[in-house]
Amino acid sequence: MGDVTGLFIAIVVIGAAAFAPLGYFIYKFSQKDGKPFGDIEPHGDSPSLVNDLAENVIAFIKKQLNKGKTTS
């Protein structure tokens, strides 16, 4: 009988750990009028180092490809 009780407690602990992120998200979502991350800017309005780097890499690759086409 102790094995069943121990297994039940282990399953409850594992289940609580598995669903804790969902519970936290629901808590944060209901806390700020449906805005779980607060007031954030719309996508594309704020400068981003990653976007700038990606644009520079793409421009460099395009320049290299165009240079290769014109010289051969």
Side-chain angles (χ1 to χ4, degrees):
M1 191 67 169
D3 292 336
V4 173
T5 305
L7 183 62
F8 176 76
I9 291 172
I11 289 173
V12 168
V13 169
I14 291 170
F19 284 100
L22 177 63
Y24 180 73
F25 180 78
I26 292 171
Y27 167 73
K28 291 301 255 182
F29 189 80
S30 62
Q31 188 177 27
K32 297 180 181 177
D33 298 327
K35 296 180 182 176
F37 306 112
D39 293 328
I40 58 172
E41 295 180 25
H43 179 69
D45 287 350
S46 59
S48 170
L49 180 64
V50 175
N51 285 341
D52 293 340
L53 180 64
E55 287 176 5
N56 290 339
V57 168
I58 290 170
F60 177 75
I61 292 172
K62 283 183 178 180
K63 185 171 33 170
Q64 293 297 323
L65 289 174
N66 287 335
K67 187 190 302 184
K69 287 181 183 178
T70 58
T71 58
S72 47

